[in-house]
Amino acid sequence: MPKTVLITGTSSGFGNDVAKTLAAAGHRVFATMRDPHKRHREVAKDFQSKGIETIELDVTDDASVDAAFKLLADIAGVGLDVLVNNAGVAAGGLTESFTPEQLREMFDVNVFGIQRTMRAALPQMRKAKSGLVINIGSVLGRLTIPFVGLFGASKFAVEALTDSYRYELSQFGIDVLLIQPGPFPTKLYADLRPPADGGRAGDYGEVAAFPGIVSKVLEHIFTGANAPNPHDVAEAIDKLIDTPAGRRPHRVVVGLAFGADTANSAIEPLQSQIVSSFGLGHLAKLNIR
Ligand code: NAP
């Protein structure tokens, strides 16, 4: 059945592809982006030619998020069925060389951005007693490699937020799930934020050069014969939306897992156990109407 879907961060990468894939599958798509009238004008035009509606939305700005959801209610006239929290930024380098402000900026997009859109979307979904939220995490929300620590920290936070929301919203029939992509060649890497305090690298000796090694490994993955195809993420989201409520997996790893899928399977029973030991096991069951 066609759904009304809102996606954040659709000017490029996964978000752009997800918008087109879901629209082609017959869903009504509201593709949001920071600057549809100037910087992203061509993207917005392309979306319009495909019947995709665009709305301005900066996930770091409370007023922008609220205005976007108000506009959605005004023009859609119906409730939102699916929210895809996709907008994100990344940073690479020695963790100590990033300022606290840089870490704050990363969390403002990757974590607080989700909290803003959730708070905007949930009152209507709770009223409707149904809804689906898909957050884009990362395999680096389960496992850690050095030099991508800020990004990983933000994606670990997305894991906890997603689980917590899923338990709390199950009584309303609202499903909250995670896509955990491995590395894919998108603009994320071209836009990788460098450390603001590179001088801190001085004492690290040869380890200071190691972030370059991570980049080389990624380059190798992206140019190899079996390079990951970013479209797999859009396909996984399309499939999740089509899967009946109550039968959807809580986490879907897409692309190179590096063991994140094994970590998911190992943690799941422990997760159930801790929730049950607080007498809250019933919150794990989605209340479907
Ligand atoms: P991308 O092409 O750089 O897309 C990121 C999108 O987020 C862009 O459209 C960007 O828009 C938007 N964005 C950034 N800040 C924003 C803000 N304040 N408000 C609204 N939108 C904002 O990279 P991508 O790989 O498709 O990333 C999409 C998601 O996948 C992110 O959450 C990322 O962390 C996650 N992910 C990616 C990979 C990967 O290997 N590519 C792996 C794991 C997870 P602007 O044009 O305005 O900057």
Side-chain angles (χ1 to χ4, degrees):
M1 208 170 84
K3 307 272 187 206
T4 302
V5 186
L6 184 139
I7 309 158
T8 64
T10 62
S11 68
S12 62
F14 299 153
N16 189 278
D17 190 18
V18 172
K20 291 177 190 162
T21 303
L22 296 184
H27 299 293
R28 182 172 187 188
V29 176
F30 290 88
T32 72
M33 59 194 82
R34 283 196 274 187
D35 196 4
H37 305 297
K38 290 192 192 135
R39 196 160 54 93
H40 301 134
R41 197 173 41 213
E42 290 308 311
V43 180
K45 255 183 155 168
D46 178 47
F47 277 152
Q48 276 146 22
S49 75
K50 295 176 168 64
I52 299 169
E53 292 153 273
T54 56
I55 298 182
E56 182 175 329
L57 193 162
D58 180 337
V59 300
T60 64
D61 182 341
D62 290 349
S64 168
V65 173
D66 290 344
F69 277 83
K70 185 173 180 316
L71 192 63
L72 172 77
D74 289 347
I75 53 180
V78 289
L80 184 66
D81 299 310
V82 184
L83 168 65
V84 181
N85 282 311
N86 164 76
V89 292
L94 280 171
T95 304
E96 186 186 334
S97 329
F98 290 96
T99 61
E101 186 50 30
Q102 287 188 288
L103 182 56
R104 193 175 297 123
E105 282 169 9
M106 164 140 315
F107 269 66
D108 205 12
V109 182
N110 295 5
V111 184
F112 302 156
I114 292 181
Q115 181 69 351
R116 289 187 184 95
T117 58
M118 295 291 279
R119 283 174 51 80
L122 287 177
Q124 173 260 310
M125 284 186 176
R126 279 191 282 100
K127 216 166 157 189
K129 299 226 178 304
S130 73
L132 170 62
V133 179
I134 301 174
N135 293 332
I136 310 298
S138 169
V139 294
L140 294 181
R142 277 297 200 209
L143 305 161
T144 301
I145 46 172
F147 318 118
V148 205
L150 275 71
F151 180 75
S154 73
K155 294 299 186 181
F156 265 76
V158 172
E159 295 272 334
L161 262 185
T162 304
D163 281 335
S164 179
Y165 265 126
R166 191 174 51 257
Y167 292 120
E168 293 166 22
L169 292 168
S170 61
Q171 60 173 320
F172 299 105
I174 301 169
D175 219 354
V176 189
L177 312 172
L178 255 176
I179 294 278
Q180 299 163 307
F184 284 92
T186 65
K187 190 169 74 69
L188 197 74
Y189 295 95
D191 288 353
L192 211 61
R193 296 178 177 189
D197 189 6
R200 289 284 175 131
D203 290 340
Y204 278 76
E206 62 172 14
V207 172
F210 286 7
I213 296 177
V214 174
S215 302
K216 281 215 165 66
V217 172
L218 287 173
E219 211 177 291
H220 182 71
I221 291 171
F222 294 159
T223 53
N226 296 318
N229 179 357
H231 184 60
D232 291 348
V233 171
E235 290 293 335
I237 290 177
D238 189 24
K239 194 169 158 197
L240 267 186
I241 293 173
D242 279 352
T243 305
R247 282 198 243 150
R248 302 180 186 117
H250 297 162
R251 287 173 165 73
V252 179
V253 177
V254 186
L256 290 171
F258 295 109
D261 46 356
T262 310
N264 288 342
S265 307
I267 291 169
E268 198 164 305
L270 303 174
Q271 180 59 49
S272 299
Q273 205 176 306
I274 188 172
V275 171
S276 296
S277 60
F278 279 85
L280 300 170
H282 57 289
L283 295 184
K285 192 171 179 316
L286 188 68
N287 182 12
I288 309 160
R289 312 217 139 225

Coordinates of all heavy atoms in Angstrom, one line a residue, residues 6-19 29-34 40 43 47 54-55 86-87:
L6 N 8.6 10.9 4.6 CA 9.5 12.0 4.6 C 10.9 11.6 4.9 O 11.2 10.8 5.8 CB 9.1 13.0 5.7 CG 9.9 14.3 5.8 CD1 9.0 15.5 6.0 CD2 11.0 14.3 6.8
I7 N 11.9 12.1 4.1 CA 13.3 11.7 4.2 C 14.1 12.9 4.4 O 13.9 14.0 3.8 CB 13.8 11.0 2.9 CG1 12.8 9.9 2.5 CG2 15.2 10.5 3.0 CD1 12.9 9.6 1.0
T8 N 15.1 12.9 5.3 CA 16.0 14.0 5.6 C 17.3 13.8 4.7 O 17.7 12.7 4.5 CB 16.4 14.2 7.0 OG1 17.1 13.0 7.5 CG2 15.1 14.4 7.9
G9 N 17.9 14.9 4.3 CA 19.2 14.9 3.7 C 19.1 14.2 2.3 O 19.9 13.3 2.0
T10 N 18.3 14.7 1.4 CA 18.1 14.1 0.1 C 18.8 14.8 -1.0 O 18.6 14.4 -2.2 CB 16.6 14.0 -0.3 OG1 16.1 15.3 -0.4 CG2 15.8 13.2 0.7
S11 N 19.7 15.7 -0.7 CA 20.4 16.4 -1.8 C 21.4 15.5 -2.5 O 21.9 15.8 -3.6 CB 21.1 17.7 -1.3 OG 22.2 17.3 -0.4
S12 N 21.8 14.4 -1.9 CA 22.8 13.6 -2.5 C 22.7 12.2 -1.8 O 21.9 11.9 -1.0 CB 24.2 14.1 -2.2 OG 24.5 14.2 -0.8
G13 N 23.6 11.3 -2.3 CA 23.9 10.0 -1.6 C 22.6 9.1 -1.5 O 21.7 9.1 -2.3
F14 N 22.6 8.4 -0.3 CA 21.5 7.5 -0.1 C 20.2 8.2 -0.1 O 19.2 7.6 -0.7 CB 21.7 6.8 1.4 CG 22.9 6.1 1.6 CD1 23.4 5.9 2.9 CD2 23.6 5.4 0.6 CE1 24.6 5.2 3.2 CE2 24.7 4.6 0.8 CZ 25.2 4.6 2.1
G15 N 20.1 9.3 0.6 CA 18.8 10.0 0.7 C 18.2 10.3 -0.6 O 17.0 10.1 -0.9
N16 N 19.0 10.8 -1.6 CA 18.6 11.1 -2.9 C 18.0 9.9 -3.6 O 16.9 9.9 -4.2 CB 19.7 11.7 -3.7 CG 19.3 12.3 -5.0 OD1 19.1 11.6 -6.0 ND2 19.0 13.6 -5.1
D17 N 18.7 8.8 -3.5 CA 18.4 7.5 -4.1 C 17.1 6.9 -3.5 O 16.2 6.4 -4.2 CB 19.6 6.6 -4.0 CG 19.4 5.3 -4.9 OD1 18.5 5.3 -5.8 OD2 20.1 4.3 -4.6
V18 N 17.0 7.0 -2.1 CA 15.9 6.5 -1.4 C 14.6 7.2 -1.9 O 13.6 6.6 -2.2 CB 16.1 6.7 0.1 CG1 14.8 6.3 0.9 CG2 17.2 5.8 0.6
A19 N 14.7 8.6 -2.0 CA 13.5 9.4 -2.5 C 13.1 8.9 -3.8 O 11.9 8.6 -4.0 CB 13.9 10.8 -2.5
V29 N 6.4 10.8 -1.7 CA 7.6 11.1 -1.1 C 7.8 12.6 -0.9 O 7.7 13.4 -1.8 CB 8.8 10.6 -1.9 CG1 10.2 11.0 -1.3 CG2 8.7 9.0 -2.0
F30 N 8.1 13.0 0.4 CA 8.5 14.4 0.7 C 10.0 14.3 0.9 O 10.5 13.8 1.9 CB 7.8 14.9 1.9 CG 6.3 15.2 1.6 CD1 5.4 14.1 1.7 CD2 5.9 16.4 1.1 CE1 4.1 14.4 1.4 CE2 4.6 16.6 0.8 CZ 3.7 15.6 0.9
A31 N 10.8 14.9 -0.1 CA 12.3 14.9 0.0 C 12.7 16.2 0.6 O 12.4 17.2 0.1 CB 12.8 14.7 -1.4
T32 N 13.4 16.1 1.8 CA 13.8 17.4 2.4 C 15.3 17.6 2.2 O 16.0 16.6 2.1 CB 13.4 17.4 3.9 OG1 14.3 16.5 4.6 CG2 11.9 17.0 4.2
M33 N 15.6 18.9 2.2 CA 17.1 19.2 2.0 C 17.3 20.6 2.6 O 16.3 21.4 2.8 CB 17.4 19.2 0.6 CG 16.6 20.1 -0.3 SD 16.8 19.6 -2.1 CE 15.7 18.3 -2.2
R34 N 18.5 21.0 2.8 CA 18.8 22.3 3.4 C 18.4 23.5 2.6 O 18.0 24.5 3.1 CB 20.3 22.4 3.9 CG 20.6 21.6 5.1 CD 21.9 21.9 5.7 NE 23.0 21.2 5.1 CZ 24.2 21.3 5.5 NH1 24.5 22.1 6.6 NH2 25.2 20.6 5.0
H40 N 20.6 23.6 -3.8 CA 20.0 22.3 -4.2 C 18.9 22.5 -5.2 O 18.1 21.6 -5.4 CB 19.5 21.5 -3.0 CG 20.5 21.2 -2.0 ND1 20.3 21.4 -0.6 CD2 21.8 20.8 -2.1 CE1 21.4 21.1 0.1 NE2 22.3 20.7 -0.8
V43 N 18.6 19.7 -7.9 CA 18.1 18.4 -7.3 C 16.6 18.5 -7.1 O 15.9 17.6 -7.4 CB 18.8 18.2 -5.9 CG1 18.3 16.9 -5.3 CG2 20.3 18.1 -6.1
F47 N 13.7 16.2 -8.7 CA 12.6 15.6 -7.9 C 11.2 15.9 -8.4 O 10.4 15.0 -8.6 CB 12.7 16.0 -6.4 CG 13.8 15.2 -5.6 CD1 14.4 15.8 -4.5 CD2 14.1 13.9 -6.0 CE1 15.4 15.1 -3.8 CE2 15.1 13.2 -5.2 CZ 15.7 13.8 -4.2
T54 N 9.3 18.5 -2.5 CA 10.5 18.9 -1.8 C 10.1 19.9 -0.7 O 9.2 20.8 -0.9 CB 11.6 19.5 -2.6 OG1 11.1 20.6 -3.3 CG2 12.1 18.5 -3.6
I55 N 10.8 19.8 0.4 CA 10.6 20.7 1.6 C 11.9 21.1 2.1 O 12.8 20.2 2.2 CB 9.7 20.1 2.7 CG1 8.3 19.7 2.2 CG2 9.6 21.0 3.9 CD1 7.4 19.1 3.3
N86 N 18.0 10.3 7.6 CA 19.2 9.9 6.8 C 20.3 11.0 6.9 O 21.4 10.6 6.8 CB 18.7 9.7 5.3 CG 19.9 9.8 4.4 OD1 20.6 8.8 4.3 ND2 20.1 10.9 3.7
A87 N 19.9 12.2 7.1 CA 20.9 13.3 7.0 C 22.1 13.0 8.0 O 21.9 12.5 9.1 CB 20.3 14.6 7.5

